[in-house]
Structure formats: C-alpha cells, structure tokens
Amino acid sequence: MLKKNMLFTPGPTMVPPEVNLAEAAPMIHHRTPQFSQIFMDVTEGMKALFETKEADVFILASSGTGAMETSVVNLLSPGDKALFISVGKFGERWGELLKAYGCQGVELKAEYGRVISAKEVADALAKHPDAKALFTTQSETSTGVVSDIEGYAALTRKTGTLLVVDTVSSLGVHPLRFDAWGVDVAVTGSQKGCMLPPGLGFIAVAPRVWKAVEQSKLPKYYFSLPAMKKAIADKTTAYTPAITLIRAAKVALDMLMAEGLENVYARHAMLAEASRAGVKALGLKLFTKEGESNVLTAVEAPEGIKIDAVIKRMRDEFGITLTGGQGSMKGRIFRLGHMGYVNQFDILAALGALEKALSDAGYPVKPGSALAAAQEVFLKSKS
Amino acid sequence: MLKKNMLFTPGPTMVPPEVNLAEAAPMIHHRTPQFSQIFMDVTEGMKALFETKEADVFILASSGTGAMETSVVNLLSPGDKALFISVGKFGERWGELLKAYGCQGVELKAEYGRVISAKEVADALAKHPDAKALFTTQSETSTGVVSDIEGYAALTRKTGTLLVVDTVSSLGVHPLRFDAWGVDVAVTGSQKGCMLPPGLGFIAVAPRVWKAVEQSKLPKYYFSLPAMKKAIADKTTAYTPAITLIRAAKVALDMLMAEGLENVYARHAMLAEASRAGVKALGLKLFTKEGESNVLTAVEAPEGIKIDAVIKRMRDEFGITLTGGQGSMKGRIFRLGHMGYVNQFDILAALGALEKALSDAGYPVKPGSALAAAQEVFLKSKS
C-alpha cells in the first residue's frame, strides 16, 4: 500500500503544508519591527480565536501544560482553596498542579465518559464560597466529553470565583465565547485546533483578573504574567520567543479567519457527527455517555478484538494514526480525532481504514457501512 | 542593494537551510516509535555537545530561561542560600530567579566587561560554606566575556557546592567539558551555538545532583526534573514535546558532529579572533576588558557616532543585523555575534557592511582595513 501519513490523534494534529513552510523560512531576529509586527498579528489573531476583545493574550514558549501552570501560579497563593473539575486525565492535571503548588484543590469528579453539570458546580460554589478559582477543561480528550463552560461561567460571574478553562484541545473546534460568557482565564496549546506544531502555549486573561494576579504570592518567573504584560507593551516577549512557530501561527490563524470562525465550528460539528454515525454503523458503541465533543470520537473497543493491535497496524501499515486509551482506559477504547486541519474526505479515509483493519482482525464489517453513514451526514450538510 | 539577510545577533542566530527544512516536514505523533527514535537521538546528541557520558540530559519546550528556572526549582528549597556570579544581564537573571523563588542569593559582582576570577569564587565559597549552589554564566552575551568554568568547577568539586552553568550562548562555541571539569548542572537554549530556532531548552544533570533534587522543596510541575526522568525511561516527555524543533535539532546536531566538536570550537576561536582584529583595525576599542568570548565581539561605540542608528541602517538597508547594547549599555556599545552557523566569509560580509556604514556615518574608514586584518587571521588559520 502507498502510505500517506494522516493524523487522527488527539494532538498533535495535521498541519497545513503552508504552515509547515512558514516554519522553514530563514531566521529573523526577535527585537526587530519585522518580528514585532508578526508577534502582534498573532496576538490579535489569538484574541479573535478566544473570542475576546477585552482580554490580554500572551504567547508562551511552552506546551499547553505550561500555560495551565501559568494560570495557577499567577492567580493563587500558598494554601488557597480552588475547585477543579476532574472528568479525565486533563482535569486530573489541574489537581496535580494545585497540589504541586501547595494549594487546596477541591475535586468535582465524574466517572470517565461523563461530565459535571452546571447544577453540581452551583452546589460546589455554594459549599465552598472561599474557593478563589474554578479550574476546568472544555474538551477532555482522554474521554471525548465537552463541558458546559457557558453554564459554569454564568455561575462564577455571580460568585466572583475565577473561572479558568483549559481549552487546549477545544479552541478553534468548539466555541469559547470568552467575553460573552464571562470566562476569566483560558489557556491553550498550539498543536490541536490551531493547526500548528506543538511548542506554543497561549493564555487569555480578562481585565478583572489582574487584581488577583497582583495579590498572588505563588513564586513564578518564566511564567510570570506581570512580566509578559510589561513586555507586550513594547510589542515583545520577556524571554526569547519561539520565532518559527509564531510565524507559522500567523499563517494558520489567517487560514482559520479566512474560513470564518463559525464555519470552522460548523465543520467540526459535521466531522464529529459523521464520525459518530460511521462507528455506530459498524455496530460500535460510543464511550462518551454525555457531552460528546466535536474534538474527537471515543469508541468502546469491540469485544474479542485487541484494539491496540488494530490501531498499531492502521498506523504502521496504512499510515492512518488513531490512538488507543490512556492509563486505565488502555485497551478499552480507541479515539478518532477530527480537530484542526481535517475535512470530510479525511474522515472517509479514516473510516475506510478502520473498516479494513477491523475486518482483517475478524470483526464483522459490511464493506462501506461506516462510509455510507458518514457520507449521509456530509451530503445533507451545507458545509 | 540586493539584500541578503544575515544575523550576527547574540541569538537567535542563523539556521542552516537543511535545519529549516527539517522543521517543515509533515507532523508526526509523539507517542510513536518513529518520534521516540528521533527524541533519543537528539538526547544523545546533546549529551555529546555537553561533553558528558554520565549526566542525564532533558529537552524542554521552553526558552533558555525556562531551563535556568528548571535548575533553580529542582535544586533548592525556600530560604536556601546560593551564590551567583553577576557580570552582566544574564548573571543578574540568576539573581532575579533566586529572589522570585524566595532563596537567598549572594551576588558576586564585577563591573560590565570584566569577569569574576576563580580566586574570588574560592573566597566566596570559604565565606559561605552553607551556600547550596553556585549559579554562573559561561558566556555573558550582554558584555562579551567568558567565565572560567573549569576554574570554578575545580573549587566546587571540593566544597560540594553544586555548580550550575548557563551555557545558553556558549554551548557549541566554547568547550564545556561537563564530565572532565565536574560541572553539576548545565542549561542551554536552542537558538545560539546549536544552530536552531528558539523554542527548546536543554538541561544536563550530573548523577550526584539527584540527591539535591530529592531534597528540594521549591514547587514545580512543568519544569519538574523527576517527571522528566520518569518520562525519558519510556523514551518520551512528560508533556507534549516541540516535535518540529526536535526534528530540526537532529539535523543540526548531525552537522555539528560531522564537523567535529573540536573543529567547531576552533572555528569559533578563529571567527572571534578575526572579528576582534577587524574592529581594532578600524581604530575601534573592545568593550570587553578580560575573558573575551568567542561568542560575540562587544565593541565601544566610537565617539560622535550614533551607533544605534548605524546598526539600524545596516539591518534595514544592507540586511546585516548586528545589535547594540542592552539596558544601561544602550548607545555605548555594539555587538557582532559570530556563533553557530557562521563561517569566515560571513565575517567578511559583516565587516564589509560595518566599514561601509561607519564610513557613511562620518567615521574615518580606510577601505578594506577591517577586511584585511580579518583575512590575515583567516589565511594563517588551519580551519
């Protein structure tokens, strides 16, 4: 088989060739008007993606986890109480961060595949009025759920608890209406919906958050928001920025804006609907019990099939990379990512590969059944 | 003038086109044997560059400052005393980091353009036997000096004080004989001697350091060395790595190893000697009073010449980027960087541009005088 490598992973995701080539342009110095222009363009582009006009947005040379850490160390002081929503591996990471920094994390936990409702958040906020912040994850890629950020924000706006949202895998996939909903802080990484390689983190900070930043006593230096704010006044960064990735970001953001944000969201909704229809047509069951995200489709491994071997073969022999489960989910699920630089014909490739690999592994497949189900979604779609 | 853009900046430096193109290759997923192989190759390549067989080397998605922070937060506890050598902006950064993390930094300060001798370090170690670590900078790019790391290490090996060296601009330029000298921790960034774009940090950790890491009580998560050590046992990183930059690093390290490390050092020594000879032939004075580095040449601005305007014109009209002074040095010096992907003909271009720009600015220049002085060095060189 002629292998064309395609990523349907939960990040890093496929990168447009135009963006790859922008990374390859000759180096420029960062303390120049030339770079400042690109840097500010990307900052403005990210504001558009976060759907904010009022927030400050900063670009970090780090992964998304570095951006998560930035939010914790700039908002809190040692011993501070904070709520965190834990419905998968990335929610748990908020808990690990709070613990590492000596804060008191109060966990709102749901079993994998489920979400925490706004009602549960309301109860927790009432029970813990002294919680300084609520840390949550918009799209939990370990289980395929999307959380009700709009619902949470409607509550935290009233209580004054700071709402911090990990949008690492959701930004540019699900709407994150930062200003309209009243989110306080949002963090993301470059390698998902932004259609970029990994290596950049981004953080959006609402104006009302700076008071908490001033009061925060947790130690920080590399991830200091005040240092970033001071630097951006001169259209620069406090420390050397990841120049090639930022130039690539300019190209990727221009592509997203040319498509139009609402169209981007609609495309992802269509790809997700088609993916779910496709796997269901194969007789497979979705792992996600509620709040299915448009980021990826998490599917239960069919009984009697060694799913990790199937996934590995798809990658090594077909060039089509899906992923299995992480941690306790290993061998129990597989995940078909459809975020970022993905269109409907890519989904046909992924489902075609899945039909073939499952069939070869002894699972009963009616040829084209997943494809037809997906195609039905595509043909009725206006995208 | 047909502009060809060339960087003689203190970082980021020029990147070989082969390395640029490696960055542009299609995205791959990081949890694959394919990426693990590249990741471990780069880890081994960086061990060679650090001249260590015994240390652990970790790759960070961060700038060099992130790698500096990693050393502080993993070695120390709140209130710990540490010495730091401050002979320029980057030495001062150690002091800022120690302060930010609530440690007691004891400054060994020399005026800009000078270094701290091993004798002075010996006195400080005797006076502060309770200092847990000594933080220093091998090449201080703000002033153009190189410090006597070998001499410092001979002392700290006896006292047991941990020697932490910022080699951000020096690695791959000046020898850093990690094992042979007995350095404890070295940190660097990608965008200098490594011939890479910015966005990667690296840290080398000697085996004897892990005991201090275990005892360290400063909070950390993204920069946790224990987390990195755990992940690398599985040939991976704790958080998503900067995949494209790491692939580029494989190409750059292969190029450096093909040239041969000792040849790389000799080339930089030659370029530095020629650069110094060139500016002196123009009647200019070196700013650096002792310990001139092979990383860059810092030169006093000639009287009556607005040096920042000259540097700006060289950049904007000739495409040749040198830099002026930072902070209090602004307008007083200019800096000609010659680290990384630079050869002797590049230096001729830089000096040629300098002759032209200074002459146009009214400084008396005998045409070709800097070029001839540099060429004299090149012709007698074996490189």
Side-chain angles (χ1 to χ4, degrees):
Chain A
M1 183 183 298
L2 170 68
K3 265 201 294 186
K4 292 195 176 187
N5 291 304
M6 301 180 81
L7 297 182
F8 298 93
T9 46
T13 59
M14 289 185 278
V15 173
E18 298 90 325
V19 176
N20 285 327
L21 288 174
E23 258 204 289
M27 184 52 51
I28 57 173
H29 194 240
H30 58 302
R31 310 289 188 206
T32 55
Q34 188 188 2
F35 180 73
S36 288
Q37 180 67 51
I38 297 165
F39 175 69
M40 295 312 292
D41 284 351
V42 171
T43 301
E44 288 304 313
M46 288 304 299
K47 279 189 193 179
L49 204 55
F50 278 118
E51 297 199 35
T52 182
K53 287 195 195 310
E54 60 181 38
D56 293 294
V57 168
F58 304 107
I59 307 173
L60 318 177
S62 78
S63 80
T65 302
M68 291 172 73
E69 179 156 326
T70 301
S71 69
V72 170
V73 299
N74 282 281
L75 300 186
L76 301 180
S77 298
D80 272 358
K81 184 191 274 191
L83 302 169
F84 70 100
I85 290 178
S86 168
V87 298
K89 190 188 152 185
F90 291 94
E92 290 159 12
R93 185 163 293 178
W94 282 125
E96 292 167 10
L97 267 163
L98 290 168
K99 192 177 165 200
Y101 278 92
C103 297
Q104 187 190 344
V106 178
E107 185 173 22
L108 277 68
K109 192 178 175 68
E111 64 171 319
Y112 280 17
R114 296 200 173 271
V115 294
I116 295 286
S117 68
K119 172 73 176 64
E120 289 167 282
V121 169
D123 293 347
L125 288 169
K127 196 174 163 192
H128 301 282
D130 53 340
K132 290 264 173 72
L134 167 65
F135 293 90
T136 185
T137 317
Q138 187 172 22
S139 153
E140 175 60 65
T141 53
S142 65
T143 69
V145 300
V146 62
S147 288
D148 177 16
I149 304 302
E150 185 176 12
Y152 301 167
L155 299 164
T156 52
R157 285 177 91 162
K158 284 180 211 154
T159 60
T161 316
L162 296 173
L163 178 63
V164 182
V165 187
D166 163 0
T167 69
V168 171
S169 65
S170 58
L171 198 73
V173 177
H174 282 277
L176 188 276
R177 314 215 189 265
F178 193 96
D179 289 352
W181 294 348
V183 174
D184 294 292
V185 175
V187 299
T188 199
S190 49
Q191 75 280 15
K192 316 261 181 171
C194 297
M195 313 197 302
L196 286 165
L200 294 181
F202 302 95
I203 184 166
V205 182
R208 61 190 167 280
V209 175
W210 288 103
K211 202 179 155 191
V213 173
E214 278 166 33
Q215 291 167 350
S216 159
K217 289 197 173 60
L218 280 177
K220 58 247 173 193
Y221 188 84
Y222 186 70
F223 291 130
S224 162
L225 283 178
M228 295 180 209
K229 188 162 178 140
K230 186 162 174 261
I232 210 170
D234 295 326
K235 301 183 180 179
T236 189
T237 51
Y239 315 112
T240 311
I243 295 170
T244 51
L245 292 170
I246 291 172
R247 278 198 297 189
K250 168 86 174 95
V251 177
L253 286 165
D254 283 352
M255 289 174 75
L256 288 171
M257 294 310 152
E259 184 177 355
L261 260 189
E262 297 301 326
N263 295 330
V264 170
Y265 302 147
R267 169 167 55 84
H268 282 98
M270 174 188 72
L271 299 177
E273 189 189 343
S275 298
R276 289 192 292 264
V279 295
K280 280 182 192 165
L282 290 172
L284 300 172
K285 282 179 196 161
L286 296 184
F287 173 74
T288 310
K289 302 301 172 240
E290 56 187 347
E292 291 128 353
S293 92
N294 296 338
V295 170
L296 55 81
T297 300
V299 186
E300 289 186 11
E303 219 165 308
I305 299 289
K306 287 182 178 161
I307 196 66
D308 285 346
V310 171
I311 294 294
K312 183 175 183 300
R313 182 169 167 246
M314 286 175 69
R315 182 190 74 197
D316 294 344
E317 293 185 26
F318 307 167
I320 304 280
T321 305
L322 277 61
T323 46
Q326 294 169 288
S328 63
M329 313 289 286
K330 200 170 161 57
R332 293 176 51 202
I333 64 168
F334 71 89
R335 295 174 297 162
L336 167 60
H338 30 66
M339 75 202 93
Y341 188 59
V342 181
N343 73 9
Q344 41 192 285
F345 308 118
D346 295 331
I347 295 296
L348 295 180
L351 291 174
L354 184 65
E355 284 192 3
K356 179 163 168 54
L358 283 175
S359 174
D360 289 354
Y363 182 82
V365 169
K366 184 181 162 207
S369 51
L371 294 173
Q375 189 72 332
E376 202 167 316
V377 174
F378 294 142
L379 295 192
K380 76 172 190 223
S381 162
K382 285 172 188 159
S383 291
Chain B
M1 185 183 298
L2 169 68
K3 264 201 293 186
K4 293 197 176 185
N5 291 303
M6 302 180 80
L7 297 182
F8 298 93
T9 46
T13 59
M14 288 185 279
V15 173
E18 298 89 325
V19 175
N20 285 327
L21 289 173
E23 258 204 289
M27 185 51 52
I28 57 174
H29 193 239
H30 58 303
R31 309 291 188 203
T32 55
Q34 188 188 3
F35 180 72
S36 289
Q37 180 67 50
I38 296 165
F39 175 68
M40 294 312 292
D41 283 351
V42 172
T43 302
E44 289 303 312
M46 288 304 298
K47 280 189 191 176
L49 205 53
F50 278 119
E51 296 198 36
T52 182
K53 287 195 195 310
E54 60 181 39
D56 293 294
V57 168
F58 304 106
I59 306 172
L60 318 177
S62 79
S63 80
T65 302
M68 291 172 73
E69 178 156 328
T70 301
S71 69
V72 170
V73 299
N74 282 280
L75 300 186
L76 301 180
S77 297
D80 273 357
K81 184 191 273 189
L83 302 169
F84 70 101
I85 290 177
S86 168
V87 298
K89 190 188 153 187
F90 291 93
E92 290 159 13
R93 186 164 292 178
W94 282 125
E96 291 167 11
L97 268 163
L98 291 168
K99 192 179 166 196
Y101 278 92
C103 297
Q104 188 191 342
V106 177
E107 185 174 22
L108 278 67
K109 192 178 176 67
E111 64 171 318
Y112 280 18
R114 296 198 172 272
V115 295
I116 295 286
S117 67
K119 172 74 176 61
E120 289 168 281
V121 169
D123 293 346
L125 288 168
K127 195 174 165 190
H128 301 282
D130 53 338
K132 290 263 173 72
L134 167 65
F135 294 89
T136 184
T137 317
Q138 188 174 20
S139 153
E140 174 61 64
T141 53
S142 65
T143 67
V145 298
V146 63
S147 289
D148 177 16
I149 304 302
E150 185 177 10
Y152 301 167
L155 298 164
T156 53
R157 286 176 89 163
K158 284 181 210 153
T159 61
T161 315
L162 295 172
L163 178 64
V164 182
V165 186
D166 162 0
T167 70
V168 171
S169 64
S170 58
L171 198 73
V173 177
H174 281 276
L176 188 276
R177 314 217 190 265
F178 192 97
D179 289 352
W181 294 350
V183 173
D184 294 293
V185 174
V187 299
T188 198
S190 49
Q191 75 280 14
K192 315 262 181 170
C194 296
M195 313 197 302
L196 286 164
L200 294 180
F202 302 95
I203 183 166
V205 181
R208 62 191 167 279
V209 174
W210 288 102
K211 202 179 155 192
V213 173
E214 278 166 33
Q215 291 167 349
S216 159
K217 289 197 173 60
L218 280 176
K220 57 250 173 190
Y221 187 84
Y222 186 69
F223 291 131
S224 161
L225 282 177
M228 295 179 207
K229 187 163 180 142
K230 186 162 174 260
I232 210 169
D234 294 327
K235 299 182 181 179
T236 189
T237 51
Y239 315 112
T240 311
I243 295 170
T244 51
L245 291 171
I246 291 172
R247 279 197 297 188
K250 168 86 174 97
V251 178
L253 286 165
D254 284 351
M255 289 174 74
L256 288 171
M257 294 310 152
E259 184 177 355
L261 261 189
E262 297 302 325
N263 295 330
V264 170
Y265 302 147
R267 168 167 56 84
H268 283 97
M270 174 188 71
L271 299 177
E273 189 189 343
S275 299
R276 290 191 291 263
V279 295
K280 280 183 191 165
L282 290 172
L284 300 171
K285 281 180 197 162
L286 296 184
F287 173 74
T288 310
K289 302 301 173 239
E290 56 188 346
E292 291 127 352
S293 92
N294 296 337
V295 170
L296 56 78
T297 299
V299 185
E300 290 186 12
E303 218 165 311
I305 299 289
K306 286 181 180 163
I307 197 65
D308 285 346
V310 171
I311 294 293
K312 184 174 182 302
R313 184 171 165 242
M314 286 175 70
R315 182 190 75 197
D316 295 345
E317 293 186 26
F318 308 167
I320 305 281
T321 305
L322 277 61
T323 46
Q326 294 168 289
S328 64
M329 314 289 286
K330 202 170 160 55
R332 292 176 50 203
I333 64 169
F334 71 89
R335 294 175 297 161
L336 166 61
H338 31 67
M339 76 202 91
Y341 188 58
V342 181
N343 73 9
Q344 42 193 285
F345 308 119
D346 295 331
I347 296 297
L348 294 181
L351 291 174
L354 185 65
E355 284 192 4
K356 177 163 169 55
L358 283 175
S359 174
D360 289 355
Y363 182 81
V365 170
K366 184 182 162 202
S369 51
L371 295 173
Q375 188 73 333
E376 202 167 317
V377 173
F378 294 142
L379 295 193
K380 77 172 187 222
S381 162
K382 285 171 189 161
S383 289

